[in-house]
Amino acid sequence: MSETSVRPDPVMAEIGRGMELGQRGERDAAREVFAGVWDRLGADGDPFHICALAHSMADVQDDPREELVWDLRALKAADLVSDERARLAGVASPVAAFYPSLHLNLGDVYRRLGEWDLARAHLARGLDAVGTLGDDGYGQLIKGGLDRLAQRLAERPGEPLTVPPSDPLSVPLSEPASEPMEVSGPASG
């Protein structure tokens, strides 16, 4: 029988410390904390930790291309996290509830990079997954973010919402954190 209690997780505590710094506007300090955690975890670390770290690291990037690298890394890691692993970390919801936020962040960064089709695709994926969210403050926050992203993307008339089978842009979990990902393709403005 597996253990049902949640043990203190020093990696998550460190990620939480970085998140607090970021929320206080201390973005450089947050990036330093996250970079230290990444150095210890590496690309082969626990996917749950990588997902949490990458999702948080993306939020404190100044360059949207660097933000994209971390957002893609978080999405790839989420695909490797089981509900059981999340539960052991104290997450009450299924891993499926991670996806609305992950796709919201990707949709927004693609929008800021002028990658409209990819932005719309991630909006669609986020909206498809929104039913996994609770009707609590977090759920409302993410639903509101998806609504705002939809409004921003609707300002580009004549471009329908489409969902390609997969992103042509991807980043392996092992890509170095310090090198921004090259984003190619048509960028319209």
CSV table of all heavy atoms in Angstrom, one decimal, residues 120-171:
chain,number,residue,atom,x,y,z
A,120,ARG,N,-3.7,30.9,-30.7
A,120,ARG,CA,-5.1,30.5,-30.8
A,120,ARG,C,-5.2,29.0,-30.5
A,120,ARG,O,-6.2,28.5,-29.8
A,120,ARG,CB,-5.7,30.7,-32.1
A,120,ARG,CG,-6.1,32.2,-32.3
A,120,ARG,CD,-6.7,32.4,-33.7
A,120,ARG,NE,-7.2,33.8,-33.8
A,120,ARG,CZ,-6.4,34.8,-34.1
A,120,ARG,NH1,-5.1,34.6,-34.3
A,120,ARG,NH2,-6.9,36.1,-34.1
A,121,ALA,N,-4.2,28.2,-30.9
A,121,ALA,CA,-4.2,26.8,-30.6
A,121,ALA,C,-4.2,26.5,-29.1
A,121,ALA,O,-4.9,25.7,-28.6
A,121,ALA,CB,-3.1,26.1,-31.4
A,122,HIS,N,-3.3,27.2,-28.5
A,122,HIS,CA,-3.2,27.0,-27.0
A,122,HIS,C,-4.4,27.5,-26.3
A,122,HIS,O,-4.8,27.0,-25.2
A,122,HIS,CB,-1.8,27.6,-26.5
A,122,HIS,CG,-0.7,26.7,-26.8
A,122,HIS,ND1,-0.5,25.5,-26.1
A,122,HIS,CD2,0.2,26.7,-27.7
A,122,HIS,CE1,0.6,24.9,-26.6
A,122,HIS,NE2,1.0,25.6,-27.6
A,123,LEU,N,-5.0,28.6,-26.7
A,123,LEU,CA,-6.2,29.1,-26.2
A,123,LEU,C,-7.3,28.0,-26.3
A,123,LEU,O,-8.0,27.7,-25.3
A,123,LEU,CB,-6.7,30.4,-26.8
A,123,LEU,CG,-8.1,30.8,-26.4
A,123,LEU,CD1,-8.2,31.1,-25.0
A,123,LEU,CD2,-8.6,32.0,-27.3
A,124,ALA,N,-7.4,27.4,-27.4
A,124,ALA,CA,-8.4,26.3,-27.6
A,124,ALA,C,-8.1,25.2,-26.7
A,124,ALA,O,-9.0,24.6,-26.1
A,124,ALA,CB,-8.4,25.9,-29.1
A,125,ARG,N,-6.9,24.8,-26.6
A,125,ARG,CA,-6.5,23.7,-25.7
A,125,ARG,C,-6.8,24.0,-24.2
A,125,ARG,O,-7.3,23.2,-23.4
A,125,ARG,CB,-5.1,23.3,-25.8
A,125,ARG,CG,-4.8,22.6,-27.2
A,125,ARG,CD,-3.3,22.3,-27.3
A,125,ARG,NE,-3.1,21.8,-28.6
A,125,ARG,CZ,-2.0,22.0,-29.4
A,125,ARG,NH1,-1.1,22.7,-28.9
A,125,ARG,NH2,-1.9,21.4,-30.6
A,126,GLY,N,-6.5,25.3,-23.8
A,126,GLY,CA,-6.9,25.7,-22.5
A,126,GLY,C,-8.4,25.7,-22.2
A,126,GLY,O,-8.8,25.3,-21.2
A,127,LEU,N,-9.1,26.2,-23.2
A,127,LEU,CA,-10.6,26.2,-23.1
A,127,LEU,C,-11.1,24.7,-23.0
A,127,LEU,O,-12.1,24.5,-22.3
A,127,LEU,CB,-11.2,27.0,-24.2
A,127,LEU,CG,-11.0,28.5,-24.1
A,127,LEU,CD1,-11.5,29.2,-25.4
A,127,LEU,CD2,-11.6,29.1,-22.9
A,128,ASP,N,-10.5,23.9,-23.8
A,128,ASP,CA,-11.0,22.5,-23.8
A,128,ASP,C,-10.7,21.8,-22.4
A,128,ASP,O,-11.5,20.9,-22.0
A,128,ASP,CB,-10.2,21.6,-24.8
A,128,ASP,CG,-10.7,21.9,-26.2
A,128,ASP,OD1,-11.8,22.5,-26.4
A,128,ASP,OD2,-10.1,21.5,-27.2
A,129,ALA,N,-9.7,22.3,-21.7
A,129,ALA,CA,-9.3,21.7,-20.4
A,129,ALA,C,-9.9,22.4,-19.2
A,129,ALA,O,-9.8,21.9,-18.1
A,129,ALA,CB,-7.8,21.6,-20.3
A,130,VAL,N,-10.6,23.5,-19.4
A,130,VAL,CA,-11.1,24.3,-18.4
A,130,VAL,C,-12.1,23.6,-17.4
A,130,VAL,O,-12.2,23.9,-16.2
A,130,VAL,CB,-11.7,25.7,-18.9
A,130,VAL,CG1,-13.1,25.5,-19.4
A,130,VAL,CG2,-11.5,26.8,-17.9
A,131,GLY,N,-12.7,22.6,-17.9
A,131,GLY,CA,-13.7,21.8,-17.1
A,131,GLY,C,-13.0,21.0,-16.0
A,131,GLY,O,-13.7,20.6,-15.0
A,132,THR,N,-11.7,20.9,-16.0
A,132,THR,CA,-10.9,20.3,-14.9
A,132,THR,C,-10.7,21.1,-13.7
A,132,THR,O,-10.3,20.7,-12.7
A,132,THR,CB,-9.6,19.8,-15.4
A,132,THR,OG1,-8.8,20.9,-15.8
A,132,THR,CG2,-9.7,18.8,-16.6
A,133,LEU,N,-11.0,22.4,-13.9
A,133,LEU,CA,-10.8,23.4,-12.8
A,133,LEU,C,-12.0,23.4,-11.9
A,133,LEU,O,-13.1,23.3,-12.3
A,133,LEU,CB,-10.6,24.8,-13.4
A,133,LEU,CG,-9.3,25.0,-14.2
A,133,LEU,CD1,-9.3,26.4,-14.8
A,133,LEU,CD2,-8.0,24.7,-13.4
A,134,GLY,N,-11.7,23.7,-10.6
A,134,GLY,CA,-12.8,23.9,-9.6
A,134,GLY,C,-13.4,25.3,-9.8
A,134,GLY,O,-12.9,26.1,-10.5
A,135,ASP,N,-14.5,25.5,-9.1
A,135,ASP,CA,-15.1,26.8,-9.1
A,135,ASP,C,-14.6,27.6,-7.9
A,135,ASP,O,-15.4,28.2,-7.1
A,135,ASP,CB,-16.6,26.6,-9.1
A,135,ASP,CG,-17.4,27.9,-9.4
A,135,ASP,OD1,-16.8,28.8,-10.1
A,135,ASP,OD2,-18.5,28.1,-9.0
A,136,ASP,N,-13.3,27.6,-7.7
A,136,ASP,CA,-12.7,28.3,-6.6
A,136,ASP,C,-11.9,29.5,-7.1
A,136,ASP,O,-12.0,29.9,-8.3
A,136,ASP,CB,-11.8,27.4,-5.8
A,136,ASP,CG,-10.7,26.7,-6.7
A,136,ASP,OD1,-10.6,27.1,-7.9
A,136,ASP,OD2,-10.0,25.9,-6.2
A,137,GLY,N,-11.2,30.2,-6.3
A,137,GLY,CA,-10.4,31.4,-6.7
A,137,GLY,C,-9.4,31.1,-7.8
A,137,GLY,O,-9.3,31.9,-8.8
A,138,TYR,N,-8.7,30.0,-7.7
A,138,TYR,CA,-7.7,29.6,-8.7
A,138,TYR,C,-8.5,29.3,-10.1
A,138,TYR,O,-8.0,29.8,-11.1
A,138,TYR,CB,-6.9,28.4,-8.3
A,138,TYR,CG,-6.0,27.9,-9.4
A,138,TYR,CD1,-4.8,28.6,-9.6
A,138,TYR,CD2,-6.3,26.8,-10.1
A,138,TYR,CE1,-4.0,28.2,-10.6
A,138,TYR,CE2,-5.4,26.4,-11.1
A,138,TYR,CZ,-4.3,27.1,-11.4
A,138,TYR,OH,-3.4,26.6,-12.4
A,139,GLY,N,-9.5,28.6,-10.0
A,139,GLY,CA,-10.3,28.3,-11.2
A,139,GLY,C,-10.8,29.6,-11.9
A,139,GLY,O,-10.7,29.7,-13.1
A,140,GLN,N,-11.3,30.5,-11.1
A,140,GLN,CA,-11.8,31.7,-11.6
A,140,GLN,C,-10.7,32.6,-12.2
A,140,GLN,O,-10.9,33.2,-13.3
A,140,GLN,CB,-12.5,32.5,-10.5
A,140,GLN,CG,-13.8,31.9,-10.0
A,140,GLN,CD,-14.8,31.7,-11.1
A,140,GLN,OE1,-15.0,32.5,-12.0
A,140,GLN,NE2,-15.6,30.6,-11.0
A,141,LEU,N,-9.5,32.5,-11.6
A,141,LEU,CA,-8.3,33.3,-12.1
A,141,LEU,C,-7.9,32.8,-13.5
A,141,LEU,O,-7.8,33.6,-14.4
A,141,LEU,CB,-7.2,33.1,-11.1
A,141,LEU,CG,-5.9,33.8,-11.6
A,141,LEU,CD1,-5.9,35.3,-11.4
A,141,LEU,CD2,-4.7,33.2,-10.7
A,142,ILE,N,-7.8,31.5,-13.6
A,142,ILE,CA,-7.4,30.9,-14.9
A,142,ILE,C,-8.5,31.1,-16.0
A,142,ILE,O,-8.2,31.5,-17.1
A,142,ILE,CB,-7.1,29.4,-14.7
A,142,ILE,CG1,-5.9,29.2,-13.7
A,142,ILE,CG2,-6.7,28.8,-16.1
A,142,ILE,CD1,-4.7,30.0,-14.0
A,143,LYS,N,-9.8,30.9,-15.6
A,143,LYS,CA,-10.9,31.1,-16.6
A,143,LYS,C,-10.9,32.6,-17.0
A,143,LYS,O,-11.1,32.8,-18.2
A,143,LYS,CB,-12.2,30.7,-15.9
A,143,LYS,CG,-12.3,29.2,-15.7
A,143,LYS,CD,-13.6,28.9,-14.9
A,143,LYS,CE,-13.6,27.4,-14.5
A,143,LYS,NZ,-14.7,27.1,-13.6
A,144,GLY,N,-10.7,33.5,-16.1
A,144,GLY,CA,-10.6,34.9,-16.5
A,144,GLY,C,-9.5,35.2,-17.4
A,144,GLY,O,-9.6,36.0,-18.3
A,145,GLY,N,-8.3,34.6,-17.1
A,145,GLY,CA,-7.2,34.8,-18.0
A,145,GLY,C,-7.4,34.2,-19.4
A,145,GLY,O,-7.0,34.9,-20.4
A,146,LEU,N,-8.1,33.1,-19.5
A,146,LEU,CA,-8.4,32.5,-20.8
A,146,LEU,C,-9.4,33.5,-21.5
A,146,LEU,O,-9.3,33.7,-22.7
A,146,LEU,CB,-9.0,31.1,-20.7
A,146,LEU,CG,-7.9,30.0,-20.3
A,146,LEU,CD1,-8.6,28.8,-19.8
A,146,LEU,CD2,-7.0,29.8,-21.5
A,147,ASP,N,-10.4,34.0,-20.8
A,147,ASP,CA,-11.3,34.9,-21.4
A,147,ASP,C,-10.6,36.2,-21.9
A,147,ASP,O,-10.9,36.7,-23.0
A,147,ASP,CB,-12.4,35.4,-20.4
A,147,ASP,CG,-13.4,34.3,-20.1
A,147,ASP,OD1,-13.4,33.3,-20.8
A,147,ASP,OD2,-14.1,34.4,-19.0
A,148,ARG,N,-9.7,36.7,-21.1
A,148,ARG,CA,-8.9,37.9,-21.6
A,148,ARG,C,-8.0,37.6,-22.8
A,148,ARG,O,-7.9,38.4,-23.7
A,148,ARG,CB,-8.0,38.5,-20.5
A,148,ARG,CG,-8.9,39.2,-19.4
A,148,ARG,CD,-8.0,39.9,-18.4
A,148,ARG,NE,-7.2,39.0,-17.6
A,148,ARG,CZ,-7.7,38.2,-16.6
A,148,ARG,NH1,-8.9,38.3,-16.2
A,148,ARG,NH2,-6.9,37.4,-15.9
A,149,LEU,N,-7.4,36.4,-22.8
A,149,LEU,CA,-6.6,36.0,-24.0
A,149,LEU,C,-7.5,35.9,-25.2
A,149,LEU,O,-7.2,36.4,-26.3
A,149,LEU,CB,-5.9,34.7,-23.7
A,149,LEU,CG,-5.1,34.1,-24.8
A,149,LEU,CD1,-4.0,35.1,-25.3
A,149,LEU,CD2,-4.5,32.8,-24.4
A,150,ALA,N,-8.7,35.3,-25.0
A,150,ALA,CA,-9.6,35.2,-26.2
A,150,ALA,C,-10.0,36.6,-26.7
A,150,ALA,O,-10.1,36.8,-27.9
A,150,ALA,CB,-10.9,34.4,-25.7
A,151,GLN,N,-10.2,37.5,-25.8
A,151,GLN,CA,-10.6,38.9,-26.2
A,151,GLN,C,-9.4,39.5,-27.0
A,151,GLN,O,-9.6,40.2,-28.0
A,151,GLN,CB,-11.0,39.8,-25.0
A,151,GLN,CG,-12.3,39.4,-24.4
A,151,GLN,CD,-12.5,40.1,-23.1
A,151,GLN,OE1,-11.6,40.8,-22.5
A,151,GLN,NE2,-13.7,39.9,-22.5
A,152,ARG,N,-8.2,39.4,-26.5
A,152,ARG,CA,-7.1,39.9,-27.2
A,152,ARG,C,-6.9,39.3,-28.6
A,152,ARG,O,-6.5,40.0,-29.5
A,152,ARG,CB,-5.8,39.7,-26.4
A,152,ARG,CG,-5.8,40.6,-25.1
A,152,ARG,CD,-4.6,40.4,-24.3
A,152,ARG,NE,-4.6,41.3,-23.2
A,152,ARG,CZ,-4.3,40.9,-21.9
A,152,ARG,NH1,-3.9,39.6,-21.7
A,152,ARG,NH2,-4.3,41.7,-20.9
A,153,LEU,N,-7.1,38.0,-28.7
A,153,LEU,CA,-6.9,37.3,-30.0
A,153,LEU,C,-8.1,37.6,-30.9
A,153,LEU,O,-7.9,37.6,-32.1
A,153,LEU,CB,-6.8,35.8,-29.7
A,153,LEU,CG,-5.5,35.4,-29.1
A,153,LEU,CD1,-5.5,33.9,-28.8
A,153,LEU,CD2,-4.3,35.8,-29.9
A,154,ALA,N,-9.3,37.9,-30.4
A,154,ALA,CA,-10.4,38.3,-31.2
A,154,ALA,C,-10.2,39.7,-31.9
A,154,ALA,O,-10.9,40.0,-32.9
A,154,ALA,CB,-11.7,38.3,-30.4
A,155,GLU,N,-9.2,40.4,-31.4
A,155,GLU,CA,-8.9,41.7,-32.0
A,155,GLU,C,-8.2,41.6,-33.3
A,155,GLU,O,-8.0,42.6,-34.0
A,155,GLU,CB,-8.1,42.6,-31.0
A,155,GLU,CG,-8.8,43.0,-29.8
A,155,GLU,CD,-7.9,43.6,-28.7
A,155,GLU,OE1,-6.7,43.7,-28.9
A,155,GLU,OE2,-8.4,43.9,-27.6
A,156,ARG,N,-7.9,40.4,-33.7
A,156,ARG,CA,-7.3,40.1,-35.0
A,156,ARG,C,-8.4,39.4,-35.9
A,156,ARG,O,-8.4,38.2,-35.9
A,156,ARG,CB,-6.1,39.2,-34.8
A,156,ARG,CG,-5.0,40.0,-34.0
A,156,ARG,CD,-3.7,39.3,-34.1
A,156,ARG,NE,-3.2,39.0,-35.4
A,156,ARG,CZ,-2.5,39.9,-36.1
A,156,ARG,NH1,-2.2,41.1,-35.7
A,156,ARG,NH2,-2.1,39.6,-37.3
A,157,PRO,N,-9.3,40.1,-36.5
A,157,PRO,CA,-10.4,39.5,-37.2
A,157,PRO,C,-9.9,38.7,-38.4
A,157,PRO,O,-8.8,38.9,-38.9
A,157,PRO,CB,-11.2,40.8,-37.7
A,157,PRO,CG,-10.3,41.9,-37.6
A,157,PRO,CD,-9.2,41.6,-36.6
A,158,GLY,N,-10.8,37.8,-38.8
A,158,GLY,CA,-10.5,37.0,-40.0
A,158,GLY,C,-9.6,35.8,-39.7
A,158,GLY,O,-9.2,35.1,-40.7
A,159,GLU,N,-9.1,35.6,-38.5
A,159,GLU,CA,-8.2,34.5,-38.2
A,159,GLU,C,-8.9,33.5,-37.3
A,159,GLU,O,-9.1,33.8,-36.1
A,159,GLU,CB,-6.9,35.0,-37.6
A,159,GLU,CG,-6.2,36.0,-38.5
A,159,GLU,CD,-4.9,36.4,-37.9
A,159,GLU,OE1,-4.4,35.8,-36.9
A,159,GLU,OE2,-4.3,37.4,-38.4
A,160,PRO,N,-9.4,32.4,-37.9
A,160,PRO,CA,-10.2,31.5,-37.1
A,160,PRO,C,-9.4,30.8,-36.0
A,160,PRO,O,-8.2,30.7,-36.2
A,160,PRO,CB,-10.7,30.5,-38.1
A,160,PRO,CG,-9.7,30.6,-39.2
A,160,PRO,CD,-9.2,32.0,-39.2
A,161,LEU,N,-10.0,30.3,-35.0
A,161,LEU,CA,-9.4,29.5,-34.0
A,161,LEU,C,-9.2,28.1,-34.5
A,161,LEU,O,-10.1,27.4,-34.9
A,161,LEU,CB,-10.3,29.5,-32.7
A,161,LEU,CG,-9.8,28.9,-31.5
A,161,LEU,CD1,-8.6,29.6,-31.0
A,161,LEU,CD2,-10.9,28.9,-30.4
A,162,THR,N,-7.9,27.7,-34.6
A,162,THR,CA,-7.6,26.4,-35.1
A,162,THR,C,-6.7,25.7,-34.1
A,162,THR,O,-6.0,26.3,-33.3
A,162,THR,CB,-6.9,26.4,-36.5
A,162,THR,OG1,-5.7,27.2,-36.3
A,162,THR,CG2,-7.8,27.0,-37.5
A,163,VAL,N,-6.7,24.4,-34.1
A,163,VAL,CA,-5.9,23.6,-33.2
A,163,VAL,C,-5.0,22.6,-34.1
A,163,VAL,O,-5.5,21.6,-34.6
A,163,VAL,CB,-6.7,22.8,-32.2
A,163,VAL,CG1,-5.8,22.0,-31.3
A,163,VAL,CG2,-7.6,23.7,-31.4
A,164,PRO,N,-3.7,23.0,-34.3
A,164,PRO,CA,-2.9,22.0,-35.0
A,164,PRO,C,-2.6,20.8,-34.2
A,164,PRO,O,-2.7,20.9,-32.9
A,164,PRO,CB,-1.6,22.8,-35.3
A,164,PRO,CG,-1.6,23.9,-34.3
A,164,PRO,CD,-3.0,24.2,-33.9
A,165,PRO,N,-2.2,19.7,-34.8
A,165,PRO,CA,-2.0,18.5,-34.0
A,165,PRO,C,-0.9,18.6,-33.0
A,165,PRO,O,-1.0,18.0,-31.9
A,165,PRO,CB,-1.6,17.4,-35.0
A,165,PRO,CG,-1.3,18.2,-36.3
A,165,PRO,CD,-2.0,19.5,-36.2
A,166,SER,N,0.1,19.4,-33.2
A,166,SER,CA,1.2,19.6,-32.2
A,166,SER,C,1.9,20.9,-32.6
A,166,SER,O,1.9,21.4,-33.7
A,166,SER,CB,2.1,18.5,-32.2
A,166,SER,OG,2.8,18.3,-33.4
A,167,ASP,N,2.6,21.5,-31.6
A,167,ASP,CA,3.4,22.7,-31.9
A,167,ASP,C,4.6,22.4,-32.8
A,167,ASP,O,5.3,21.4,-32.5
A,167,ASP,CB,3.9,23.2,-30.5
A,167,ASP,CG,2.9,23.9,-29.7
A,167,ASP,OD1,1.7,24.0,-30.1
A,167,ASP,OD2,3.2,24.4,-28.7
A,168,PRO,N,4.8,23.2,-33.8
A,168,PRO,CA,6.0,23.0,-34.6
A,168,PRO,C,7.2,23.5,-33.8
A,168,PRO,O,8.3,23.1,-34.1
A,168,PRO,CB,5.8,23.9,-35.8
A,168,PRO,CG,4.8,24.9,-35.3
A,168,PRO,CD,3.9,24.2,-34.3
A,169,LEU,N,7.0,24.2,-32.7
A,169,LEU,CA,8.0,24.7,-31.9
A,169,LEU,C,8.0,23.9,-30.6
A,169,LEU,O,7.0,23.8,-29.9
A,169,LEU,CB,7.9,26.2,-31.5
A,169,LEU,CG,7.7,27.1,-32.7
A,169,LEU,CD1,7.4,28.5,-32.2
A,169,LEU,CD2,9.0,27.1,-33.5
A,170,SER,N,9.1,23.3,-30.2
A,170,SER,CA,9.2,22.6,-29.0
A,170,SER,C,10.6,22.7,-28.4
A,170,SER,O,11.5,23.1,-29.1
A,170,SER,CB,8.8,21.1,-29.2
A,170,SER,OG,9.8,20.5,-30.0
A,171,VAL,N,10.7,22.4,-27.2
A,171,VAL,CA,12.0,22.4,-26.5
A,171,VAL,C,12.1,21.2,-25.6
A,171,VAL,O,11.2,20.8,-24.9
A,171,VAL,CB,12.1,23.7,-25.6
A,171,VAL,CG1,11.1,23.8,-24.6
A,171,VAL,CG2,13.5,23.9,-25.1
